[in-house]
Amino acid sequence: MRVNKLSALVAMALSTTVLTGCDFYDEPPGNPGTDPGKPPVITPPDQADFVASSEAELIAAINDAEAGQYIGLNTEGDFANVGHIIIDKAITLISTNADGDIDDPADAGTTELAQAVFSGAVCIDIPTAAAETLRGGEQARISNIRFENITMDSCGSDDSSNSIINIGKVGKDKTSVILDHLTFDGNSFNESTGDSDAWIYSRGLVDISNSSFTNKSESAQSMLYLNCGSSASRGGSNSDPRGSIMTGNVFAMAAANGSSSTKAATIGVPSNFGQDNKNCAATFTENTFTNFAALISENADPSTALYDVFGDTTEADNTLEDGGTDPGQPGDVDHTVTNVTELQDAVANAAAGDVIGLTTDGTFADVGLLTLSKAVKLLSVDAEGNITDPMTTQATLSGAVCVYVPSDSVEDLKGSNQVIISNLAFSDITIDECGTADTQNAIINIGKVGKDKTPVELEYLTFNGEGFQETTGDSDAWVYSRGLVDISDSVFEGKSADAKNIVYLNCGSSASRGGNNEDPRGSMLTGNTFGLAADNTAGTTKVATIGVPSNLGQDNKNCEATFNANTVKNFAELTSETDDISTALYDVFGDTEAKDNILDDDGGTDPDPTYPENVEAVNAAIQAATAGETITLGAAYDYSAGVITIDRAIKLVGAEGAKISGSACIDVLDGAAGAEISNLSFTNDQIVKCGTTGDAREAVINVQKVGETDQPILLKDLSFDATGITSQDQIENKGAWIRSYGFINLTGSEFIGQSRNLQNDLVKLTCSSSKGRMGTLIDGNTFSITGDGTKETAAVKIGDSSGGAIKDADNENTCAVTVSNNTFNDYSQQEVNNVGTEGLRDAAIFGRLPAESTNVFTDNNYVTNP
């Protein structure tokens, strides 16, 4: 539950009073901000120490400034495409006139102040490396500046994010980064759309006040994203946390928000839910939210302004667009029911989005078949219809009960339309066949629903199996799902060792992967308790069977499930890929993420994952692996030298922050058809010959003559940063970042920092082998180039060239490469077969054109930044 109580506000007031009593500022900070939920107010001097009117002057001023000094941005200056600005000391950026005169932004309520304007490609980065400098009251501040016509991209030198302002893990001694009186006009923003992309992204402590965030597009994600994985986000203290404060701001969508993905703020990382010391302890007071239907939710509910992942946000006196003040309570109940007949009638007559409240003193025995084919929410209410606190007082269903979400409702239950079953108890249940199609022996039977990654939500439920009458089939379960389901904060206890599963995930349908096999999002089980009535030694009973055993080995039948931060009682082991005795999870396909789970009653947790520590260890792991196994690289280890050799169809993936650097490279050999490389960052400062065979080539990823029908090498969700290469001497024989003689699919990846001053293709495809003509796909990637050089270079080069032109030859004319849905930033030429021999010679796509070859170029976006 979120915090919204007087005691919390008083605590915040006391905390702030203590802070402002410290010597945090060279000058008195003005209003000390002792009101609860408000940061200190710092009064600026009358005159800035530096005045900048251009990018060069701004960078020079930042370099020369000392802690405590003010840098004025001339309101008549030009700050378009300033690129990466690093603030790693306690300085203030603020608008001034040409003479450096500062108007106090606190006067904005009575006087309209002029603002300097950032536009185009802008990244303001307060890096994690500044954590020791920005503490003890030494604060970085950005004040009274406007952002418009922004092109968002990766921002930050470490702990990067797609954002405009990226704040690293700073905040020790409860010293926040201060953002105040800023204006963000998203009307012409070119935004990225990743789950955590945001106008402001913070891993540290940030106070945002009196700022305006307007015209946010529903097609993008959050205005503000708080990633609280570090104690810095809680002021450097987990035992005495002080979270970020947002007060007096305006958050406005361009139009009424109907999307579950777009938020004023995402507060906490959803995948961290249930983990200790990952919550935000944030405060939102006196903010205004426009074009949102609801203020705050602990789920990514449609049209909710604040996605409060951990439910610990303090909020008070915030105003929704209708002028009313949100009380911080759950939404209204549309139907209050006290018995089975009323419940059945309410479900039959409900409209999408309705909330149906089951009274805690009602009678719900032998409900029978309850078909939920519309986006309704079932939950517990008291006799007056008020929603009860989760896991405290619950309405109870008993006897013959079948809650059924049918497959034929798949088109209705997607996007912002979601079935939610919350805060109900199940006791003395008789389990029998459930459903009218895709039937199953279950209490809750979920069909093939889940398109647009829209799960059925089961939360705060209680199942007491001690009085259950259960069937004993292999796939029988309390909850059975053929679709996408998220189960959180629920208790499943008293399970008999004579029956089978508590949860069974049948992933034969793409709906179970969010409706997308290419970009899967599986079911999530988080923060639950699963317990047998006694020790399990028979081997027949599971917490969950994840995947259908008879489907093993078939494509697109795996679950991609997540099982994190759950407590499992009376099982000897957590997970196995076989039906082992006394193992909680039967992970049929071996692709379940399981971490931070507590096993049995000993208080122990799953051990931290182990990663190969260097390239040599990676190769040893590959040689010990069989096809289909996953090898994960860790963020803390050094993969900067040597060749990683992939000679079988394994998956090489990166944990968050894992990177290949230095001169290290990946060589993909014959026998590796179907292998995958994903979620890795490449920051090499050398490109060398990669491999030890005769087909070794100069590349960071060298794909040899590899690939079979329907088995390309999958390269996805990768990032390549070329800024570390500044000289042709760092590139052996004009090597490429990715060079392929085989069959590849490159998707969802990002390439930045390519230089026109170097001959260095990002992706080089050679079609001399039949493997290279099998239909390579380059789709959904982003490529960017900088500099003013005249070298022949390309984002994607297809075939060999001579004299600045792709050869008109059989190999080049039959490459069969599809380049689609990519974004190319600032390339001088778009789709060409000849870049010429002088002048600007860089191209987005350099290959034989579709009209003269088997290549296909479609739906690509060519952007020229001002």
Side-chain angles (χ1 to χ4, degrees):
M1 289 294 291
R2 61 178 172 273
V3 178
N4 188 25
K5 300 178 180 177
L6 180 60
S7 59
L9 298 177
V10 170
M12 182 63 71
L14 294 174
S15 173
T16 309
T17 303
V18 172
L19 285 176
T20 54
C22 298
D23 185 17
F24 276 18
Y25 310 98
D26 294 330
E27 299 291 338
N31 176 4
T34 55
D35 290 340
K38 292 186 179 181
V41 176
I42 303 174
T43 301
D46 295 331
Q47 192 79 20
D49 299 284
F50 302 84
V51 180
S53 298
S54 66
E55 171 196 0
E57 291 177 358
L58 176 58
I59 298 300
I62 291 172
N63 289 336
D64 293 341
E66 297 178 356
Q69 292 190 316
Y70 281 70
I71 298 174
L73 279 71
N74 180 5
T75 57
E76 301 299 322
D78 181 3
F79 301 102
N81 296 307
V82 297
H84 189 190
I85 298 172
I86 298 176
I87 300 178
D88 56 4
K89 46 192 164 184
I91 58 177
T92 297
L93 303 188
I94 193 168
S95 293
T96 67
N97 62 16
D99 296 324
D101 298 325
I102 299 175
D103 289 324
D104 187 351
D107 296 333
T110 58
T111 305
E112 184 175 350
L113 300 179
Q115 291 183 311
V117 177
F118 281 119
S119 62
V122 176
C123 161
I124 301 179
D125 180 27
I126 295 91
T128 298
E132 293 302 322
T133 303
L134 300 176
R135 64 183 298 185
E138 296 292 332
Q139 292 177 291
R141 181 184 182 190
I142 304 169
S143 179
N144 194 32
I145 295 172
R146 182 179 180 85
F147 298 83
E148 61 183 33
N149 300 314
I150 296 293
T151 298
M152 286 174 57
D153 206 337
S154 180
C155 180
S157 51
D158 58 13
D159 290 330
S160 62
S161 63
N162 283 338
S163 59
I164 304 169
I165 299 177
N166 179 49
I167 300 168
K169 299 170 186 174
V170 298
K172 290 183 177 181
D173 302 332
K174 301 182 180 178
T175 305
S176 61
V177 172
I178 297 177
L179 309 179
D180 67 282
H181 298 90
L182 305 180
T183 301
F184 293 79
D185 182 359
N187 187 51
S188 297
F189 280 14
N190 184 1
E191 299 194 55
S192 47
T193 58
D195 286 347
S196 59
D197 297 347
W199 295 356
I200 298 173
Y201 187 103
S202 179
R203 292 178 172 85
L205 190 64
V206 59
D207 291 345
I208 306 175
S209 62
N210 302 299
S211 295
S212 174
F213 303 80
T214 62
N215 291 314
K216 176 69 174 178
S217 168
E218 188 178 300
S219 61
Q221 293 279 341
S222 306
M223 301 179 198
L224 170 64
Y225 194 104
L226 300 182
N227 177 342
C228 303
S230 164
S231 64
S233 68
R234 293 175 292 280
S237 173
N238 292 323
S239 58
D240 179 26
R242 186 282 214 196
S244 296
I245 298 173
M246 274 54 66
T247 186
N249 305 289
V250 172
F251 299 92
M253 299 290 296
N257 182 33
S259 171
S260 63
S261 61
T262 307
K263 302 297 174 195
T266 298
I267 309 167
V269 180
S271 62
N272 286 344
F273 181 70
Q275 301 180 42
D276 291 338
N277 298 327
K278 302 288 187 180
N279 60 308
C280 291
T283 299
F284 280 77
T285 59
E286 299 183 7
N287 302 283
T288 299
F289 299 88
T290 301
N291 285 329
F292 292 92
L295 178 64
I296 190 165
S297 173
E298 294 173 29
N299 301 291
D301 292 341
S303 196
T304 299
L306 305 180
Y307 178 11
D308 182 20
V309 175
F310 282 77
D312 70 334
T313 297
T314 298
E315 62 87 10
D317 301 323
N318 296 292
T319 303
L320 292 174
E321 61 176 338
D322 61 1
T325 299
D326 186 274
Q329 298 299 319
D332 294 335
V333 174
D334 300 286
H335 311 268
T336 300
V337 300
T338 62
N339 57 50
V340 171
T341 300
E342 291 176 355
L343 175 57
Q344 292 283 6
D345 288 345
V347 169
N349 296 315
D354 278 3
V355 178
I356 301 173
L358 286 70
T359 59
T360 56
D361 59 358
T363 303
F364 303 102
D366 297 317
V367 169
L369 177 64
L370 195 65
T371 302
L372 306 181
S373 56
K374 292 170 283 192
V376 297
K377 183 173 185 177
L378 306 186
L379 46 68
S380 294
V381 297
D382 63 20
E384 287 74 38
N386 299 310
I387 297 173
T388 60
D389 287 340
M391 306 302 285
T392 54
T393 307
Q394 296 179 314
T396 301
L397 289 82
S398 62
V401 176
C402 162
V403 182
Y404 176 48
V405 182
S407 295
D408 60 14
S409 62
V410 61
E411 293 301 326
D412 295 317
L413 300 178
K414 66 179 186 179
S416 60
N417 294 315
Q418 191 175 32
V419 166
I420 301 174
I421 305 172
S422 178
N423 197 33
L424 297 174
F426 296 83
S427 180
D428 298 316
I429 298 292
T430 299
I431 298 178
D432 205 341
E433 187 174 90
C434 181
T436 55
D438 289 331
T439 58
Q440 188 62 45
N441 288 332
I443 305 170
I444 299 176
N445 179 25
I446 299 167
K448 301 170 186 174
V449 298
K451 285 187 176 181
D452 297 340
K453 302 181 181 178
T454 307
V456 172
E457 291 275 358
L458 309 180
E459 60 178 12
Y460 303 113
L461 304 180
T462 301
F463 293 78
N464 182 0
E466 290 184 0
F468 284 10
Q469 296 181 37
E470 301 195 54
T471 51
T472 56
D474 283 347
S475 58
D476 296 346
W478 294 357
V479 177
Y480 186 100
S481 181
R482 292 177 174 85
L484 189 64
V485 60
D486 287 354
I487 307 174
S488 63
D489 301 295
S490 296
V491 174
F492 302 79
E493 60 185 3
K495 176 71 175 176
S496 167
D498 296 326
K500 195 65 180 178
N501 307 278
I502 297 175
V503 177
Y504 192 104
L505 301 182
N506 177 342
C507 304
S509 164
S510 65
S512 69
R513 292 174 293 279
N516 190 330
N517 291 324
E518 299 302 318
D519 181 24
R521 187 281 211 199
S523 296
M524 296 183 179
L525 285 69
T526 309
N528 306 288
T529 296
F530 299 93
L532 279 163
D535 284 349
N536 182 32
T537 56
T540 59
T541 306
K542 303 296 174 194
V543 165
T545 297
I546 307 173
V548 179
S550 62
N551 287 343
L552 182 63
Q554 299 181 42
D555 291 338
N556 296 328
K557 301 291 185 180
N558 59 311
C559 291
E560 295 278 353
T562 299
F563 190 88
N564 290 342
N566 301 284
T567 298
V568 177
K569 297 181 179 181
N570 290 327
F571 288 87
E573 297 182 19
L574 180 67
T575 185
S576 174
E577 295 177 27
T578 56
D579 193 5
D580 292 348
I581 292 175
S582 199
T583 299
L585 304 182
Y586 179 9
D587 183 19
V588 175
F589 283 77
D591 66 339
T592 299
E593 175 188 297
K595 61 183 181 181
D596 300 318
N597 298 291
I598 298 174
L599 188 63
D600 273 328
D601 298 325
D602 60 5
T605 60
D606 291 345
D608 291 336
T610 58
Y611 305 109
E613 297 184 1
N614 50 39
V615 168
E616 182 180 1
V618 175
N619 285 327
I622 292 173
Q623 292 306 305
T626 58
E629 288 191 33
T630 298
I631 296 166
T632 305
L633 306 190
Y637 297 107
D638 182 5
Y639 310 107
S640 62
V643 179
I644 296 174
T645 303
I646 299 177
D647 60 358
R648 61 202 69 191
I650 54 93
K651 296 180 181 180
L652 185 69
V653 304
E656 183 177 0
K659 66 176 63 175
I660 306 290
S661 61
S663 62
C665 66
I666 301 174
D667 191 25
V668 184
L669 279 60
D670 189 25
E676 175 185 314
I677 304 170
S678 62
N679 201 41
L680 281 167
S681 296
F682 295 84
T683 59
N684 298 61
D685 56 17
Q686 295 181 67
I687 298 179
V688 300
K689 181 174 283 190
C690 186
T692 58
T693 69
D695 286 326
R697 294 292 184 273
E698 297 77 10
V700 175
I701 298 179
N702 178 48
V703 180
Q704 298 193 18
K705 300 166 186 175
V706 184
E708 305 294 340
T709 302
D710 298 325
Q711 295 185 67
I713 303 302
L714 301 178
L715 309 177
K716 64 180 186 178
D717 302 323
L718 306 174
S719 66
F720 297 82
D721 184 350
T723 55
I725 295 183
T726 57
S727 166
Q728 199 72 46
D729 293 339
Q730 295 170 266
I731 310 168
E732 187 174 345
N733 196 27
K734 304 173 186 176
W737 286 82
I738 297 176
R739 181 159 188 157
S740 175
Y741 287 76
F743 178 23
I744 68 172
N745 281 3
L746 172 65
T747 59
S749 297
E750 180 182 50
F751 299 76
I752 65 171
Q754 184 181 21
S755 173
R756 291 187 181 88
N757 298 300
L758 304 174
Q759 190 162 355
N760 176 216
D761 301 318
L762 295 176
V763 180
K764 172 68 170 73
L765 306 175
T766 300
C767 311
S768 57
S769 165
S770 61
K771 304 291 187 181
R773 301 191 296 272
M774 294 186 72
T776 281
L777 175 68
I778 312 294
D779 184 84
N781 307 286
T782 301
F783 303 86
S784 302
I785 195 167
T786 62
D788 55 4
T790 59
K791 294 290 186 179
E792 177 190 307
T793 194
V796 180
K797 182 177 181 181
I798 306 169
D800 294 328
S801 63
S802 178
I806 300 294
K807 296 176 182 178
D808 183 3
D810 185 62
N811 284 341
E812 280 65 29
N813 290 329
T814 58
C815 286
V817 174
T818 297
V819 185
S820 56
N821 301 300
N822 302 283
T823 297
F824 297 93
N825 290 302
D826 289 325
Y827 287 86
S828 303
Q829 304 178 63
Q830 296 179 3
E831 302 170 5
V832 296
N833 60 14
N834 190 334
V835 296
T837 57
E838 58 185 30
L840 295 174
R841 304 174 65 210
D842 60 284
I845 306 174
F846 184 25
R848 297 295 288 173
L849 301 177
E852 59 196 12
S853 71
T854 57
N855 294 330
V856 176
F857 307 152
T858 181
D859 296 323
N860 295 295
N861 184 28
Y862 301 95
V863 179
T864 301
N865 294 305

